[in-house]
């Protein structure tokens, strides 16, 4: 009888130890997940252009431990964030996008994918990178489009407005409003101009052409209309 009781006691102890071990594992996993999801706040200096006016401001971004930006806060100004690119003041060739954008690759049959809000594009040495949802990859021969009037370029492009041309550097963008105007930001010389126009506004590289007033791209012998509903695109 004593032997049986002793065995039962050992079984109980084993079960308790197993339960304690499982609880320890669950606790460790929970702490690990919590650390992954913990956010830290990082102060940055930014600038944007609105209606031709440059606004410089102090901001803060919330970043997860995995490096994903989840929030952008403006400290000393009241700014309504839209698809207007946000440039880092103290880091050259780096820009943040407050809203979802479409990545368009004309040479890949005009393939369009969604780039989620708070993604960044930056240049390191001679390569340009897109960082989105904690994923990072080089980006080339492509442009970003907000589904409306804004086009952001990662390579040198030639812009033609009527009979006048403009050479734009990488990290430049335009806002082309049909039968009204085109706003041009040339990143290389930090110049912003607004041109009232009802003419065609054409962007060209050696590989493709964009008619920004009617939102079409032409590459080779093919021409296609850009999709405006970015939410219908698969995520980059």
């Amino acid at each position: 009888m004593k032997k049986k009781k002793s065995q039962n006691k050992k079984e109980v102890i084993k079960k308790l130890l197993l339960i304690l071990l499982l609880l320890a594992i669950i606790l460790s996993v929970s702490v690990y997940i919590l650390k992954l999801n913990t956010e830290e706040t990082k102060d940055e200096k930014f600038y944007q252009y609105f209606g031709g006016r440059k606004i410089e401001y102090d901001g803060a971004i919330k970043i997860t431990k995995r490096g994903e930006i989840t929030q952008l806060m403006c400290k000393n100004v009241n700014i309504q964030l839209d698809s207007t690119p946000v440039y880092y003041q103290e880091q050259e060739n780096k820009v943040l996008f407050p809203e979802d954008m479409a990545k368009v690759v004309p040479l890949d049959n005009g393939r369009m994918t969604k780039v989620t809000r708070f993604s960044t594009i930056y240049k390191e040495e001679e390569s340009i990178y897109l960082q989105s949802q904690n994923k990072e990859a080089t980006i080339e021969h492509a442009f970003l489009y907000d589904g409306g009037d804004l086009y952001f370029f990662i390579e040198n492009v030639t812009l033609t407005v009527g009979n006048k041309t403009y050479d734009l550097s990488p990290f430049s963008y335009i806002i082309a409003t049909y039968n009204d105007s085109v706003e041009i930001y040339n990143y290389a010389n930090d110049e912003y101009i607004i041109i009232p126009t009802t003419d065609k506004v054409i962007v060209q590289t050696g590989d493709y052409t964009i008619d920004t007033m009617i939102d079409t791209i032409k590459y080779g012998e093919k021409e296609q209309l850009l999709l405006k509903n970015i939410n219908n695109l698969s995520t980059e």
Side-chain angles (χ1 to χ4, degrees):
M1 180 67 74
K2 287 183 178 180
K3 186 176 181 180
K4 188 174 182 180
K5 286 183 178 179
S6 176
Q7 288 177 341
N8 288 340
K9 188 175 180 180
K10 287 181 179 179
E11 289 298 323
V12 170
I13 292 173
K14 284 182 179 179
K15 288 180 180 179
L16 286 173
L17 289 173
L18 182 60
I19 291 171
L20 289 174
L21 179 61
L22 288 173
L23 288 173
I25 292 172
I26 292 171
L27 181 61
S28 298
V29 171
S30 298
V31 170
Y32 177 73
I33 292 174
L34 181 62
K35 285 183 177 179
L36 283 180
N37 293 331
T38 299
E39 294 181 324
E40 63 177 357
T41 300
K42 183 178 179 182
D43 292 334
E44 295 282 1
K45 291 183 181 295
F46 300 107
Y47 74 86
Q48 289 175 279
Y49 274 91
F50 295 101
R53 182 183 171 208
K54 186 175 185 178
I55 307 295
E56 298 180 339
Y57 56 91
D58 294 329
I61 51 177
K62 283 190 175 180
I63 310 174
T64 67
K65 292 297 184 182
R66 294 176 296 179
E68 183 179 352
I69 298 174
T70 62
Q71 188 176 354
L72 169 62
M73 297 160 286
C74 309
K75 291 184 176 181
N76 54 333
V77 293
N78 184 17
I79 289 177
Q80 184 66 41
L81 294 172
D82 55 17
S83 61
T84 305
V86 178
Y87 291 85
Y88 287 71
Q89 287 190 49
E90 298 177 340
Q91 299 181 60
E92 289 188 5
N93 300 312
K94 186 172 184 179
V95 60
L96 182 149
F97 298 91
E99 296 294 338
D100 293 344
M101 301 286 285
K103 173 187 170 184
V104 186
V105 188
L107 299 185
D108 189 6
N109 292 316
R111 185 169 66 93
M112 297 179 66
T113 52
K114 182 171 73 173
V115 175
T116 57
R117 67 196 301 252
F118 299 133
S119 295
T120 58
I121 285 181
Y122 65 94
K123 183 177 181 181
E124 192 170 275
E125 295 181 349
E126 296 304 314
S127 298
I128 294 178
Y129 295 86
L130 168 63
Q131 187 169 30
S132 179
Q133 289 190 327
N134 197 37
K135 293 183 291 185
E136 184 180 79
T138 56
I139 177 173
E140 58 184 358
H141 304 304
F143 61 90
L144 297 192
Y145 172 58
D146 74 344
D149 300 320
L150 191 147
Y151 292 81
F152 179 89
F153 309 109
I154 62 166
E155 55 192 326
N156 292 308
V157 301
T158 299
L159 174 69
T160 303
V161 183
N163 58 5
K164 191 167 184 179
T165 60
Y166 304 83
D167 293 323
L168 305 184
S169 72
F171 292 81
S172 300
Y173 70 90
I174 67 169
I175 302 173
T177 306
Y178 181 73
N179 269 349
D180 183 74
S181 64
V182 58
E183 301 182 33
I184 307 167
Y185 175 56
N186 194 342
Y187 180 73
N189 54 17
D190 192 24
E191 180 183 49
Y192 200 103
I193 59 175
I194 301 175
I195 303 172
T197 185
T198 57
D199 291 327
K200 283 189 173 184
V201 178
I202 304 296
V203 173
Q204 289 180 300
T205 71
D207 300 311
Y208 59 87
T209 299
I210 312 169
D211 186 333
T212 65
M213 284 298 186
I214 58 175
D215 304 315
T216 61
I217 55 172
K218 185 175 182 180
Y219 46 98
E221 298 301 317
K222 297 181 180 179
E223 186 171 5
Q224 75 179 58
L225 188 66
L226 295 173
L227 296 177
K228 292 182 174 294
N229 194 339
I230 293 175
N231 289 328
N232 289 339
L233 300 174
S234 60
T235 303
E236 174 70 22

